[in-house]
């Protein structure tokens, strides 16, 4: 069942199931039909987001018990509500106590879970890493860690382990004779006891254990049983003191310690080594999050078993799939979800898919739609004045000196990512293509180095996150692949046409030049294509979303997840077309836990597009006033902190987030922390991998000084006060569109009030639900009235509660109803966005303002503007849904001054009974 609306809750130790249950009466009263939570599975201790799952078989004990989950579900059902659950099928945390990962580290390729993680066991270009896992967990080089005494050895419960900081890494029992044989030699000098004889027997048994690379499943199973017996026998020995002495001796002998560690199924290394040599696929470039092979049936089953139990028991009503682009075959995964959904057919499923310009969700996917980034960005663009593009571009260039086209910037940053944090993934991918090339005489002369360079060019030229070739090639995928190959070839013609043709034909699953593809060749092609697609998505995410969007700061309200900074403003006709074609089950958010700015911040920054001259003058004043606070570094005459682009971003951020009641130290800290994150993401002067502490401190001090300047604070405050009313109107208009257009309106926790938060962690703080509960009770029954009260926190909640309740009361209208764009005529026609939702004889009229910065606030500005009604909906009695007592008859058109008599948005209802 498609929800009428959802409300996102971030579950963690600070907000538990019991607390979520306590606010259900409030969410019900607000008009919410489905609570939509972050993952409920056991995550790494202290997780605040749930994406670092360590155990798929258990409810996270930090957020509640099984009984509390059942009580939560029972309360939902009693209220006619449901639960949408966030599912993380791509990766697991390997930084916590993950039983699967621990088994892999102990047993290597013979582990029961060796294929649960996407590990290149035998494909690494370093021979010493074949059959091992690289663990980038050290804070210094491996040699320094060995020599410094950082690495400690432990013996507990019959098992040996390596202690690195607070982590315990198992030692392979097959290698325990490197410890036990010296213990035995020491004890042989004394009297032969039963323990010594038993230890002798254990040493012999260890010597006969099957090796880690044993391929025979029967021998592997026998080996696991024998290892369990060895551990029990060791635990029963009364030789702890002798074993401890030997462990201490090894710790103090770098040669012996290195020998012991070299024998393990993993190699600890300096964390910086990961970008070049890591041999397990990660979630983007996060070492702690290892990719899992959900395409394998046994992995899929183990990852989803508990989730399907919750679906079967009626606890979970729908799923949100995190990052489907990371899956080997998203279509097959979604099909399997539906096939195994315990008789709930179809199961409501949405995917967190970022769509590129003009990209459509694959029709073959078994999903109701996306989580709505494309919706957010299209609606946001409606409130950007396209006429100011050239003026705003000039101000940006004049202030920052940056003239690089956005597409070129994205290319360069993707190239940077593939030369730094995702280098190892590129190496592994090149290895797959190299082995494919060797299978046919027409491609055998392509070198591994040449293939790697060509793949890098192709990945940097890819215009979308990924294609979906899965044994068949969709026409739209073929167009994207051919276009990207042509661009890559133009950028680097020295590589030769042949190697790019090889890449193109591989991704299009074409036969080799020598003749029809063999079965082995086709299977290798499909694998290469899948692996390419799994890498193109994180390259785009890191190069575009996490780097370029922090550099191209022309108008940062456009720099959103899934956004198009080049798309400067959207005309009503384009938005109407988008709405008419949109899947009815897709989510419609204006803020999420992942957005870079809240709806309120974007809505206010959008207003700058309506005042380009005033904005240019303001930033020029602020630049001159704050020049004295910038810090110049003696070793580089051109290096100042912040640079002009960072300063330009800071001023937009201040305008977007500025509290109208005035700033305090909490606000100063938020902005300082935000700018630190911005600089790490932009990777210009600093980065997460190579932070420049001196530069970061200098920018932090700049923030302190400018936000301590009375003159500057006063100037910014006055400027923000002048544009804030239009920002409130933008936000209110977007809110009403979100709640009444095709799709499922999604409210991110707390944003039923005006919200001015930035990217995480700023947007993931505690929500004052007590305050929201009190306000909702206070405003119930009140009419939406008063343009002058627009900035009041109750104003937005009135609109949110009215539209969500109405949507729940009329599900057929808003879920299945038609979307009809309306024509507007008159003096301010360009400043209106209007549409009807219709179903049978019921209709809802939605009218909102846009780009009204130069109009006088209030209904008098709209006296010569009218919304035209289709013939079928003329001569009706329309009831004001925001002021239920008001209604008025109309003929073929409605005056905007009537619609906006009490508020800057309008929502009117009519039905067959209201015909005149």
């Amino acid at each position: 069942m498609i929800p009428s609306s959802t409300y996102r809750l971030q579950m963690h130790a600070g907000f538990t199931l019991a607390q979520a249950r306590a606010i259900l009466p409030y969410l019900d009263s607000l008009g919410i039909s489905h609570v939509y939570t972050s993952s409920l599975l056991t995550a790494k201790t202290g997780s605040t987001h749930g994406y670092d799952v360590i155990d798929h078989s258990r409810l996270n004990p930090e957020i509640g018990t099984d009984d509390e989950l059942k009580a939560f579900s029972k309360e939902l059902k009693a209220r006619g509500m449901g639960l949408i659950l966030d599912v993380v099928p791509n990766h697991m945390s390997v930084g916590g106590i993950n039983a699967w990962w621990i088994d892999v580290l102990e047993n290597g390729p013979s582990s029961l879970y060796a294929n649960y993680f996407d590990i290149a066991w035998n494909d690494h270009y370093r021979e010493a890493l074949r059959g091992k896992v690289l663990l980038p967990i050290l804070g210094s080089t491996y040699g320094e860690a060995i020599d410094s005494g950082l690495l400690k050895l432990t013996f507990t419960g019959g098992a040996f382990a390596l202690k690195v900081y607070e982590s315990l890494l198992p030692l392979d029992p097959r290698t325990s004779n490197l410890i036990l044989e010296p213990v035995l030699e020491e004890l042989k000098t004394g009297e032969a006891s039963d323990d010594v004889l038993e230890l002798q027997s254990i040493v012999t048994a260890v010597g006969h254990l099957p090796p880690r690379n044993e391929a025979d499943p029967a021998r592997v199973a026998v080996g696991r049983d024998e290892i369990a017996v060895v551990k029990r026998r060791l635990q029963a020995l009364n030789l702890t003191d002798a074993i401890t002495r030997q462990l201490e001796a090894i710790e103090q002998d770098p040669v012996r310690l290195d020998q012991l560690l070299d024998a393990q199924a993993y190699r600890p290394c300096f964390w910086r080594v990961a970008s070049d040599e890591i041999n397990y696929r990660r979630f983007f470039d996060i070492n702690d999050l290892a990719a899992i092979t959900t395409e394998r049936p046994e992995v899929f089953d183990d990852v989803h078993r508990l989730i399907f139990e919750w679906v079967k028991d009626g606890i979970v009503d729908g799923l949100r799939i995190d990052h489907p682009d990371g899956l080997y075959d998203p279509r097959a995964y979604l099909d399997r979800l539906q096939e195994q959904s315990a008789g709930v057919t179809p199961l409501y499923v949405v995917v967190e898919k970022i769509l590129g310009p003009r990209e459509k969700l694959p029709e073959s996917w078994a999903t109701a739609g996306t989580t709505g980034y494309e919706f957010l960005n299209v609606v946001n663009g409606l409130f950007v004045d396209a006429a100011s593009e050239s003026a705003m571009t000039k101000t940006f260039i004049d202030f920052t000196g940056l003239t690089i086209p956005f597409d070129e910037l994205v290319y360069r940053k993707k190239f940077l990512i593939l030369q730094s944090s995702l280098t190892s993934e590129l190496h592994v991918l090149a290895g797959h293509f190299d082995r494919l090339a060797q299978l046919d005489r027409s491609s055998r002369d392509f070198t591994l180095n040449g293939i790697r360079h060509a793949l890098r060019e192709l990945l940097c030229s890819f215009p979308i996150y990924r294609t979906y070739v899965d044994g068949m090639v969709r026409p739209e995928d073929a167009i994207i692949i051919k276009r990207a190959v042509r661009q890559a070839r133009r950028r680097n013609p020295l590589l030769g046409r042949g190697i790019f043709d090889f890449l193109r034909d591989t991704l299009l699953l074409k036969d080799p030049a020598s003749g029809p593809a063999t079965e082995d060749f086709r299977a290798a092609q499909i694998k290469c294509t899948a692996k390419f697609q799994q890498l193109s998505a994180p390259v785009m995410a890191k190069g575009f979303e996490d780097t370029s969007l922090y550099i191209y700061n022309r108008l940062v309200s456009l720099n959103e997840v899934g956004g198009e900074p080049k798309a400067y403003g959207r005309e009503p006709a384009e938005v109407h077309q988008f709405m008419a074609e949109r899947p009815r089950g897709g989510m419609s958010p204006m803020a999420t836990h992942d957005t870079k700015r809240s709806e309120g911040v974007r809505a206010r920054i959008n207003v700058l597009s309506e005042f380009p001259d005033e904005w240019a003058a303001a930033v020029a004043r602020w630049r001159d006033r704050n020049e004295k606070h910038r810090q110049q570094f003696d070793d580089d005459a051109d290096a100042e902190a912040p640079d002009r682009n960072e300063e330009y971003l800071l001023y937009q951020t201040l305008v977007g987030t500025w509290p109208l009641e005035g700033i305090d130290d909490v606000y100063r800290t938020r902005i300082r922390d935000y700018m630190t994150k911005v600089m790490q993401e932009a990777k210009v002067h600093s980065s997460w991998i190579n932070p420049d502490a001196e530069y970061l401190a200098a920018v932090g001090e700049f923030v302190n000084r400018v936000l301590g300047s009375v003159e500057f604070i006063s100037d910014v405050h006055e400027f923000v006060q002048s544009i804030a009313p239009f920002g409130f109107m933008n936000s209110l208009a977007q809110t009403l569109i979100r709640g009444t257009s095709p799709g499922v309106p999604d409210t991110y926790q707390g944003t039923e009030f005006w919200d001015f938060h930035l990217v995480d962690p700023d947007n993931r703080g505690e929500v004052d639900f007590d305050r929201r509960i009190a306000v909702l009770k206070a405003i119930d029954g009140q009419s939406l009235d008063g343009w002058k009260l627009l900035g009041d926190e109750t104003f937005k909640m009135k609109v949110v509660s009215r539209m969500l309740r109405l949507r729940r009361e009329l599900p057929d209208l808003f879920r299945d109803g038609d979307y009809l764009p309306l024509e507007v005529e008159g003096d301010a026609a360009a400043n209106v966005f209007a549409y009807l939702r219709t179903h049978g004889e019921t209709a809802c009229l939605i009218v909102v303002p846009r780009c009204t910065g130069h109009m006088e606030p209030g209904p008098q500005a709209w006296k010569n503007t009218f919304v035209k009604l289709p013939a079928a909906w003329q001569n009706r009695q329309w009831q004001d849904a925001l002021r239920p007592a008001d209604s008025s008859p109309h003929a073929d058109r409605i005056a905007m001054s009537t619609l906006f008599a009490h508020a800057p948005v309008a929502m009117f209802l009519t039905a067959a009974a209201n015909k005149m």
Side-chain angles (χ1 to χ4, degrees):
M1 181 183 73
I2 294 176
S4 72
S5 62
T6 58
Y7 191 98
R8 171 74 179 204
L9 292 174
Q10 295 294 109
M11 308 300 298
H12 48 80
F15 189 80
T16 64
L17 285 168
Q19 290 168 289
R21 182 185 174 194
I23 66 167
L24 288 183
Y26 161 70
L27 297 181
D28 186 11
S29 181
L30 190 64
I32 298 299
S33 75
H34 286 68
V35 174
Y36 155 42
T37 70
S38 55
S39 173
L40 301 181
L41 301 178
T42 300
K44 185 178 178 181
T45 301
S47 173
T48 59
H49 47 74
Y51 288 118
D52 41 9
V53 175
I54 60 171
D55 187 347
H56 287 94
S57 68
R58 291 191 304 137
L59 173 70
N60 189 347
E62 291 190 352
I63 65 173
T65 65
D66 290 335
D67 286 342
E68 286 173 323
L69 177 59
K70 291 176 182 177
F72 178 63
S73 176
K74 183 178 180 180
E75 178 76 10
L76 282 170
K77 300 309 177 193
R79 295 181 174 278
M81 301 172 69
L83 174 63
I84 309 298
L85 179 65
D86 206 340
V87 177
V88 190
N90 283 288
H91 59 268
M92 293 181 73
S93 170
V94 295
I97 303 175
N98 183 327
W100 296 356
W101 187 249
I102 290 172
D103 195 274
V104 168
L105 298 185
E106 181 172 281
N107 296 293
S110 65
S111 167
L112 292 175
Y113 306 102
N115 293 321
Y116 275 49
F117 299 94
D118 198 349
I119 302 169
W121 286 110
N122 299 305
D123 295 342
H124 204 276
Y125 66 93
R126 278 193 185 273
E127 187 174 351
L129 270 179
R130 294 173 188 170
K132 294 188 177 187
V133 177
L134 189 74
L135 290 187
I137 59 173
L138 302 178
S140 59
T141 66
Y142 174 76
E144 290 171 345
I146 289 277
D147 295 337
S148 68
L150 168 70
L151 307 180
K152 302 296 182 182
L153 301 172
T154 68
F155 176 66
T156 306
F160 295 100
L162 174 70
K163 185 176 183 181
V164 184
Y165 307 116
E166 299 304 315
S167 298
L168 280 179
L169 308 179
L171 296 184
D172 182 356
R174 302 164 187 82
T175 68
S176 58
N177 278 353
L178 292 171
I179 302 168
L180 298 178
E181 287 179 350
V183 173
L184 187 62
E185 288 299 316
E186 175 191 337
L187 296 177
K188 278 183 178 178
T189 60
E191 183 177 348
S193 64
D194 290 342
D195 283 324
V196 172
L197 294 175
E198 172 67 355
L199 180 59
Q200 176 68 67
S201 176
I202 292 171
V203 167
T204 300
V206 168
H208 289 87
L209 289 173
R212 285 197 302 265
N213 60 357
E214 174 62 60
D216 182 359
R219 287 284 295 146
V220 170
V222 169
R224 291 185 70 86
D225 292 341
E226 292 175 348
I227 285 172
V229 171
V230 165
K231 288 180 179 179
R232 288 197 296 271
R233 293 173 69 186
L234 279 171
Q235 186 177 12
L237 287 176
N238 293 311
L239 298 174
T240 302
D241 290 345
I243 291 174
T244 300
R245 287 195 300 273
Q246 193 57 232
L247 293 180
E248 291 173 348
I250 295 174
E251 289 173 356
Q252 295 166 15
D253 187 336
V255 174
R256 292 184 63 192
L257 181 57
D258 178 40
Q259 181 187 19
L260 177 63
L261 296 185
D262 191 51
Q264 303 310 309
Y266 55 86
R267 183 171 82 81
C269 68
F270 187 23
W271 65 269
R272 290 180 184 272
V273 173
S275 59
D276 278 339
E277 297 195 351
I278 200 166
N279 62 336
Y280 61 87
R281 189 166 58 86
R282 301 165 290 174
F283 177 72
F284 295 168
D285 57 354
I286 304 174
N287 297 338
D288 182 48
L289 298 179
I292 51 178
T293 54
T294 321
E295 65 272 13
R296 302 176 67 89
E298 67 273 21
V299 181
F300 179 93
D301 291 343
D302 284 349
V303 166
H304 296 86
R305 184 170 289 109
L306 181 57
I307 292 171
F308 284 139
E309 286 180 13
W310 288 340
V311 171
K312 180 181 178 181
D313 293 341
I315 293 174
V316 169
D317 302 280
L319 306 176
R320 178 261 197 194
I321 307 304
D322 181 64
H323 188 52
D325 281 348
L327 296 169
Y328 188 88
D329 186 346
R331 181 182 61 81
Y333 170 84
L334 292 169
D335 285 345
R336 193 173 291 126
L337 275 185
Q338 296 293 342
E339 291 165 4
Q340 300 188 23
S341 61
V344 180
T345 306
L347 179 66
Y348 177 72
V349 175
V350 291
V351 291
E352 190 220 11
K353 165 62 185 168
I354 296 175
L355 297 171
R358 295 169 297 282
E359 182 182 6
K360 303 292 185 182
L361 198 64
E363 294 181 359
S364 60
W365 283 16
T367 177
T370 74
T371 53
Y373 293 130
E374 72 283 357
F375 173 90
L376 181 156
N377 284 287
V378 167
V379 173
N380 181 68
L382 183 65
F383 299 90
V384 173
D385 187 352
S388 68
E389 181 173 12
S390 60
M392 291 293 283
T393 301
K394 183 178 185 304
T395 299
F396 171 57
I397 293 174
D398 289 348
F399 194 103
T400 67
L402 295 180
T403 58
I404 182 172
F406 182 70
D407 288 341
E408 179 64 21
L409 174 66
V410 173
Y411 168 83
R412 293 183 188 181
K413 295 311 173 184
K414 291 169 75 173
F415 200 95
L416 172 67
I417 293 299
L418 284 168
Q419 283 187 311
S420 54
S421 57
L422 294 180
T423 301
S424 58
E425 282 80 357
L426 177 61
H427 288 333
V428 171
L429 181 65
H432 286 299
F433 276 79
D434 180 60
R435 285 186 290 278
L436 174 67
Q438 297 308 303
L439 293 178
D440 188 80
R441 63 179 181 272
S442 64
S443 53
R444 202 160 290 155
D445 275 350
F446 296 142
T447 66
L448 174 61
N449 193 48
I451 289 172
R452 184 166 52 245
H453 284 321
L455 280 170
R456 184 170 56 199
E457 286 291 348
L458 182 55
L459 287 163
C460 292
S461 300
F462 227 68
I464 60 175
Y465 279 72
R466 65 168 282 177
T467 50
Y468 300 97
V469 176
D470 55 4
M472 297 195 333
V473 183
R474 301 183 308 153
E476 53 267 48
D477 288 337
I479 292 171
I480 291 293
I481 291 166
K482 291 175 183 177
R483 182 187 303 159
V485 168
R486 283 195 300 271
Q487 182 174 337
R489 190 169 60 228
R490 284 196 298 269
R491 282 188 174 275
N492 202 331
L494 293 180
L495 285 173
R497 184 185 184 96
I499 199 166
F500 284 112
D501 288 349
F502 166 69
L503 296 185
R504 179 200 62 206
D505 292 348
T506 298
L507 296 178
L508 295 175
L509 304 184
K510 288 189 173 183
D511 291 335
S514 60
T518 64
E519 186 175 333
D520 287 345
F521 188 89
R522 184 71 75 210
Q525 265 191 334
I526 292 173
K527 184 174 184 179
C528 283
T529 300
K531 293 298 183 182
F532 177 89
Q533 292 174 148
Q534 283 182 300
L535 181 55
S536 68
V539 170
M540 175 66 89
K542 296 303 296 180
F544 176 91
E545 181 184 326
D546 290 345
T547 306
S548 299
L549 292 188
Y550 286 98
I551 298 174
Y552 190 78
N553 297 321
R554 179 177 62 171
L555 186 68
V556 296
S557 54
L558 299 175
N559 293 17
E560 194 47 83
V561 179
E564 300 175 55
K566 294 190 303 178
Y568 190 94
R570 297 179 186 269
E571 294 302 319
E574 179 185 357
V575 180
H576 283 313
Q577 181 178 355
F578 170 83
M579 294 297 183
E581 297 173 353
R582 188 157 191 260
R584 296 307 195 251
M587 285 184 169
S588 303
M590 287 310 298
T592 76
H593 57 286
D594 281 333
T595 43
K596 299 186 184 301
R597 294 164 186 85
S598 71
E599 170 198 330
V601 175
R602 289 194 309 272
R604 190 188 288 173
I605 293 175
N606 282 342
V607 180
L608 299 179
S609 70
E610 302 179 57
F611 297 96
D613 295 338
E614 291 85 346
W615 169 244
V619 292
R621 287 196 312 272
W622 300 342
R623 177 194 59 207
D624 295 343
R625 178 172 286 143
N626 294 327
E627 185 66 27
K628 59 182 178 292
H629 299 312
R630 298 174 75 214
Q631 180 176 324
Q632 183 170 317
F633 294 94
D634 294 335
D635 58 344
D636 187 348
D638 295 325
E640 292 183 310
D643 69 21
R644 290 301 186 193
N645 193 35
E646 293 159 351
E647 186 179 5
Y648 197 69
L649 170 61
L650 173 62
Y651 294 149
Q652 289 185 71
T653 301
L654 294 179
V655 168
T657 60
W658 196 266
L660 297 185
E661 66 274 15
I663 67 172
D664 56 17
D665 287 342
V666 172
Y667 178 77
R668 292 182 177 92
T669 299
R670 285 178 56 212
I671 299 301
R672 189 169 60 245
D673 291 347
Y674 171 72
M675 289 302 296
T676 297
K677 176 165 184 169
V678 162
M679 290 180 289
Q680 305 285 62
E681 296 284 11
K683 306 170 191 66
V684 175
H685 298 291
S686 187
S687 69
W688 297 112
I689 295 177
N690 293 299
D692 186 330
E694 184 181 9
Y695 191 88
L696 295 174
V699 175
E701 182 58 26
F702 178 84
V703 173
N704 288 339
R705 290 178 180 178
V706 300
L707 293 183
S709 166
V710 174
E711 280 188 330
F712 177 70
I713 291 173
S714 177
D715 195 347
V716 174
H717 191 77
E718 182 178 349
F719 182 85
V720 171
Q721 289 278 10
S722 70
I723 69 168
F726 306 107
F728 285 128
M729 282 194 285
N730 284 348
S731 185
L732 203 64
Q734 293 179 59
T735 296
L736 193 56
I737 293 173
R738 171 172 68 88
T740 58
S741 60
V744 179
D746 174 41
T747 303
Y748 181 59
Q749 58 180 30
T751 60
E752 57 271 37
F753 276 6
W754 300 122
D755 184 70
F756 297 95
H757 283 98
L758 295 163
V759 71
D760 69 282
D762 191 54
N763 65 354
R764 298 189 186 180
E766 183 180 354
V767 177
D768 186 351
F769 282 110
D770 289 340
R771 175 63 182 156
R772 285 160 175 78
I773 291 169
V775 167
L776 185 58
K777 288 180 179 178
I779 66 174
D780 257 349
Q782 294 181 7
S783 292
L784 192 68
D785 195 359
W787 281 71
K788 293 181 180 179
L789 298 176
L790 190 57
D792 185 89
E793 65 185 12
T794 67
F795 209 94
K796 184 180 180 183
M797 181 176 272
K798 285 180 181 178
V799 173
V800 170
S801 60
R802 299 288 165 76
M803 73 183 189
L804 294 183
R805 290 173 182 178
L806 184 64
R807 190 176 185 107
R808 188 169 58 185
E809 292 166 8
L810 300 171
D812 292 341
L813 173 64
F814 290 104
R815 183 188 60 229
D816 305 321
D818 291 334
Y819 176 93
L820 301 179
L822 295 180
E823 185 180 345
V824 184
E825 58 185 16
D827 295 345
N831 304 102
V832 179
F833 185 75
Y835 55 92
L836 280 177
R837 297 301 309 279
T838 68
H839 187 268
E841 289 294 330
T842 302
C844 184
L845 169 66
I846 306 298
V847 186
V848 299
R850 59 180 294 268
C851 301
T852 59
H854 292 286
M855 297 174 64
E856 180 184 356
Q860 63 278 3
W862 304 94
K863 60 184 179 181
N864 294 321
T865 304
F866 302 86
V867 174
K868 297 184 66 176
L869 293 172
W873 297 100
Q874 295 174 8
N875 300 313
R876 302 275 182 139
Q877 188 82 11
W878 293 87
Q879 183 179 34
D880 191 337
L882 300 177
R883 292 174 57 85
D886 288 3
S887 62
S888 57
H890 300 289
D892 62 338
R893 63 181 192 171
I894 307 175
M896 290 291 301
S897 56
T898 299
L899 293 172
F900 288 172
H902 303 285
V905 294
M907 179 169 64
F908 280 71
L909 275 174
T910 192
N914 291 333
K915 283 186 178 180
M916 293 182 63

